Amino acid sequence: MKKRIITMLLLALFLLGLAIPSWAQGLIIPVPRPPRPKPPLHSLSIKRQHVTVTIEDQVATTHIDQVFVNETAHELEGEYLFALPKGAIVSRFAMWVDGRRLEAEVLDREDAEQIYEEIVRQQRDPALLEYVGRNAFRARIYPIPAHGEKRVELEYTQVLNQEQGLVRYVCPLNREGFSTHPMGELRISVQITSHRPLRAIYSPSHDVTVRKRGDRVAEVIYEAEDVVPDRDMVLYYSCSEDDLGVNLISYKEPGEDGFFLLLLSPKIDAGDEEIVARDVFFVLDTSGSMRGEKLEQAKRAAKYVLDGLYDDDRFNIVTFNTGVRSYARGLCSTREREKAYAFINELRAGGGTNIYRALEETLEQSRGERPQVIIFLTDGLATEGERRMSKILERVDTLARDNVRIFAFGVGYDVNTILLDRLAQDHHGTSAYVLPDEDIERVVSSFYETISTPVLANVSVDYGTATVYDTFPYPMPDLFAGQQVVIVGRYRDSANTTLSLEGVVNGEAVRYDFKDVRFRKRGGGEFIPRLWAARKIGYLLTQIRLHGADRELIDEVVETSVRYGIVTPYTSFLVDETEDALSKGGRDR
């Protein structure tokens, strides 16, 4: 077989600014190749789909093995679509050709695309994979033989979130709206390993079999035949909890600096006497695109926030479209809830989206000494006033005091996720995104319950005798009861150290010490370097988008992506049947 049979391109337009629907774990849509007409969507069906998942201390690796069947009498080209969870990184993509499994390696993106077109003209087996949105990929696969099969493998890694003591894993299976063909064989196997004893394990979506092997290992199995999956499989599990949990996973090769993943899980139950009064601003987009059910759900969410205020809290409601309108000139007592409900009921959608002015007016009101909480909800891009993202961010940075926390919600597919992510990250909040068919009220209310009791503000970590650098995220977010913060970074020297978590609880400085935290001398979790690299690249790409394509930043992105096999707008993957791109020889070439 000739060299370089498969070519694929990953144009990773990170942080493109689009929310992506939950597609099935790989779906091939046939596309026309002249002179033939476009084949019907159901021309390709899934003969077999095996999903193997390993979860080790909240790091999940999902391996998908799919076999597609061309049910027509014609050779087809297909577009293979799949959407990764937020924060996941592709670790493998492979195709099978003549019984051989061929994998990808990193290459310049333009070269990869040219090679693909050349191989297509030679009627050989290529696959061109492009990044088409926020964590959404499209692979051009040719040829798919008449009445023949095409086998595709995909593997990705992600760090699972923990909230309210539960770790949540989602296996995207929903094919509703894409295909009515039954899937011949579906098998999902999830192995969970935890350094803490496992407690509850359950799926609210599927009838799974749970087999525990001791108190720290469990296997979850789901099997079906001739099914059309109409929902994703959701799996929850919990572990025994300490008041404040810490878990450090590290990896180090001899003679090189190491990598680490740090998981911090606060579990502090604040009583009523510990509640600190806050000023809460609900900033709501009422532009024309919010018309209808979106606005009605957002209104109910605003009322939920008002209902959740403590007696000593204060609030205001700021609405914006082409202009900006506030419920009151200043902050109001919770005794005015009923009047505020009437104000919310009267809101109507219309006009453009003036994000700049809405944030500016809100921040001009947030001058109190109390914690200032801004809940910002929008469904679109800035279309009125200042539209440049860099200027909006600069103005917010100028006006926001240290006690301001911004929590951003994006609704639908047209949201500037880069802007919302940066607003939340730079001001110690979080961002979340709501798809068009999701319930805004449920998402916002669930979130507000989580942030009602802050655990630690102004968070910092002292690594003791360990020399640590290049840590992400930066700056650190606040830690709330039931939530978890994930930190990745690098370290120079192995050490057993005392790690200290510092911050402010209800205005008082606090410090938590954890003794005998171990940074390994060698070995460890081999997936950690790529998790670190993905977050570093995300940070660098954000800087490029905000401040321009600086040559040094681009070179650092390319160097990091090639070394660790992370896809960026500046690099691609090329399958080569003789050499592994992640080997030293492959990287040098």
Side-chain angles (χ1 to χ4, degrees):
M1 182 176 297
K2 295 183 180 180
K3 189 178 180 182
R4 290 179 182 170
I5 292 182
I6 302 175
T7 305
M8 75 177 183
L9 173 67
L10 280 170
L11 295 175
L13 305 179
F14 275 87
L15 306 176
L16 184 64
L18 298 174
I20 298 298
S22 176
W23 290 325
Q25 289 193 50
L27 171 71
I28 293 186
I29 297 177
V31 296
R33 291 199 67 83
R36 298 192 185 100
K38 184 173 182 177
L41 180 63
H42 61 266
S43 300
L44 290 157
S45 61
I46 296 179
K47 176 182 178 181
R48 184 186 75 230
Q49 176 165 310
H50 289 176
V51 182
T52 305
V53 186
T54 58
I55 302 174
E56 185 172 353
D57 287 328
Q58 291 181 232
V59 179
T61 299
T62 302
H63 182 92
I64 304 154
D65 188 340
Q66 292 179 292
V67 176
F68 295 87
V69 178
N70 177 3
E71 299 187 353
T72 73
H74 305 288
E75 183 179 87
L76 297 176
E77 177 176 12
E79 290 191 344
Y80 177 80
L81 302 176
F82 63 93
L84 295 180
K86 182 180 179 181
I89 51 175
V90 175
S91 49
R92 284 192 176 90
F93 184 86
M95 285 181 56
W96 288 74
V97 178
D98 296 335
R100 298 188 61 188
R101 184 179 186 274
L102 304 178
E103 289 199 33
E105 60 181 278
V106 177
L107 189 73
D108 177 85
R109 68 177 188 184
E110 294 181 359
D111 290 346
E113 190 165 346
Q114 291 172 2
I115 295 171
Y116 172 86
E117 298 297 342
E118 178 183 342
I119 295 177
V120 168
R121 287 193 295 270
Q122 296 173 6
Q123 296 293 302
R124 291 156 61 195
D125 283 281
L128 180 68
L129 188 61
E130 301 172 300
Y131 197 100
V132 294
R134 187 180 175 86
N135 275 32
F137 293 85
R138 174 184 64 199
R140 292 165 56 192
I141 298 173
Y142 178 81
I144 305 173
H147 301 297
E149 298 180 354
K150 184 64 68 176
R151 183 178 176 187
V152 178
E153 290 187 59
L154 169 72
E155 184 175 283
Y156 60 85
T157 303
Q158 65 188 120
V159 180
L160 303 179
N161 292 328
Q162 174 181 291
E163 292 191 10
Q164 306 301 327
L166 289 176
V167 180
R168 180 175 183 262
Y169 172 79
V170 178
C171 182
L173 298 172
N174 188 2
R175 299 177 59 81
E176 192 172 18
F178 289 100
S179 174
T180 57
H181 263 238
M183 189 181 296
E185 178 185 333
L186 172 62
R187 187 177 195 275
I188 302 171
S189 171
V190 183
Q191 178 164 303
I192 305 170
T193 305
S194 173
H195 75 287
R196 294 184 296 173
L198 294 167
R199 296 172 64 189
I201 304 173
Y202 67 97
S203 171
S205 60
H206 289 71
D207 185 12
V208 300
T209 301
V210 178
R211 302 167 183 164
K212 283 191 175 183
R213 298 197 294 271
D215 60 355
R216 288 175 168 81
V217 178
E219 186 177 23
V220 181
I221 301 292
Y222 175 75
E223 294 180 307
E225 294 183 355
D226 297 325
V227 295
V228 180
D230 59 356
R231 62 189 181 277
D232 298 339
M233 190 183 89
V234 181
L235 181 66
Y236 290 97
Y237 71 90
S238 63
C239 302
S240 61
E241 300 171 359
D242 302 321
D243 285 345
L244 185 66
V246 59
N247 185 24
L248 178 75
I249 310 170
S250 58
Y251 174 81
K252 194 174 189 299
E253 291 185 6
E256 296 188 9
D257 289 353
F259 304 81
F260 70 89
L261 168 66
L262 178 64
L263 304 172
L264 297 172
S265 309
K267 181 88 168 75
I268 298 177
D269 184 16
D272 293 340
E273 69 280 5
E274 297 175 297
I275 299 300
V276 172
R278 301 172 300 167
D279 295 338
V280 178
F281 300 86
F282 195 95
V283 186
L284 174 59
D285 184 347
T286 58
S287 61
S289 56
M290 286 289 293
R291 187 176 290 111
E293 182 60 22
K294 279 198 288 189
L295 182 59
E296 293 306 312
Q297 289 186 14
K299 288 180 181 182
R300 293 194 292 270
K303 293 177 184 177
Y304 185 93
V305 171
L306 289 179
D307 289 339
L309 296 175
Y310 292 102
D311 290 343
D312 293 333
D313 290 342
R314 298 181 301 194
F315 75 92
N316 202 354
I317 302 166
V318 179
T319 66
F320 68 98
N321 43 44
T322 302
V324 178
R325 178 188 176 199
S326 294
Y327 164 69
R329 292 185 177 181
L331 288 158
C332 301
S333 163
T334 54
R335 290 189 295 272
E336 291 200 30
R337 277 195 184 99
E338 294 301 325
K339 293 181 181 178
Y341 295 154
F343 173 82
I344 293 170
N345 289 335
E346 294 173 358
L347 293 176
R348 299 291 182 270
T353 308
N354 196 336
I355 290 175
Y356 180 90
R357 188 60 187 156
L359 290 171
E360 184 178 56
E361 290 200 11
T362 302
L363 289 166
E364 286 173 348
Q365 297 181 42
S366 61
R367 296 299 181 189
E369 296 303 319
R370 300 174 169 194
Q372 306 289 297
V373 177
I374 297 175
I375 300 173
F376 181 75
L377 189 150
T378 182
D379 77 333
L381 308 170
T383 60
E384 302 284 348
E386 178 60 68
R387 304 179 191 180
R388 291 171 294 178
M389 182 173 61
S390 60
K391 294 299 181 182
I392 295 174
L393 291 171
E394 287 175 10
R395 184 60 172 159
V396 171
D397 288 344
T398 300
L399 292 176
R401 302 173 66 187
D402 290 342
N403 61 341
V404 169
R405 301 293 183 261
I406 299 178
F407 301 93
F409 290 87
V411 181
Y413 299 137
D414 298 325
V415 179
N416 186 339
T417 58
I418 305 174
L419 173 63
L420 298 191
D421 288 347
R422 280 295 306 274
L423 286 171
Q425 175 185 306
D426 293 350
H427 300 283
H428 303 278
T430 56
S431 54
Y433 299 95
V434 185
L435 296 178
D437 57 349
E438 287 189 274
D439 188 334
I440 299 171
E441 179 190 4
R442 180 188 60 80
V443 173
V444 174
S445 60
S446 175
F447 156 82
Y448 189 72
E449 285 182 3
T450 300
I451 71 164
S452 293
T453 307
V455 175
L456 281 179
N458 302 330
V459 176
S460 64
V461 180
D462 183 344
Y463 295 90
T465 58
T467 304
V468 168
Y469 64 99
D470 266 1
T471 60
F472 302 98
Y474 179 82
M476 288 279 292
D478 291 348
L479 301 188
F480 296 94
Q483 284 193 330
Q484 185 179 61
V485 67
V486 178
I487 304 172
V488 294
R490 303 208 62 181
Y491 65 97
R492 289 199 173 91
D493 302 313
S494 59
N496 281 1
T497 185
T498 296
L499 186 150
S500 300
L501 181 67
E502 301 173 346
V504 176
V505 177
N506 295 341
E508 299 293 330
V510 296
R511 177 187 177 102
Y512 299 92
D513 293 327
F514 302 92
K515 297 180 180 180
D516 297 325
V517 178
R518 182 187 176 209
F519 289 83
R520 301 177 65 103
K521 292 183 179 179
R522 64 179 63 87
E526 296 183 355
F527 53 83
I528 299 174
R530 299 187 77 251
L531 291 176
W532 170 84
R535 282 154 179 77
K536 179 173 183 177
I537 288 170
Y539 172 80
L540 293 172
L541 291 175
T542 299
Q543 299 306 306
I544 290 172
R545 290 185 176 277
L546 290 175
H547 306 298
D550 179 86
R551 187 71 250 173
E552 290 185 2
L553 289 177
I554 293 175
D555 289 345
E556 190 172 4
V557 168
V558 172
E559 179 183 354
T560 306
S561 68
V562 171
R563 179 173 178 80
Y564 297 100
I566 305 296
V567 190
T568 76
Y570 306 101
T571 54
S572 308
F573 271 153
L574 170 69
V575 170
D576 188 314
E577 62 180 296
T578 62
E579 188 167 38
D580 180 3
L582 303 185
S583 68
K584 185 178 185 304
R587 291 199 301 267
D588 290 344
R589 184 170 62 80

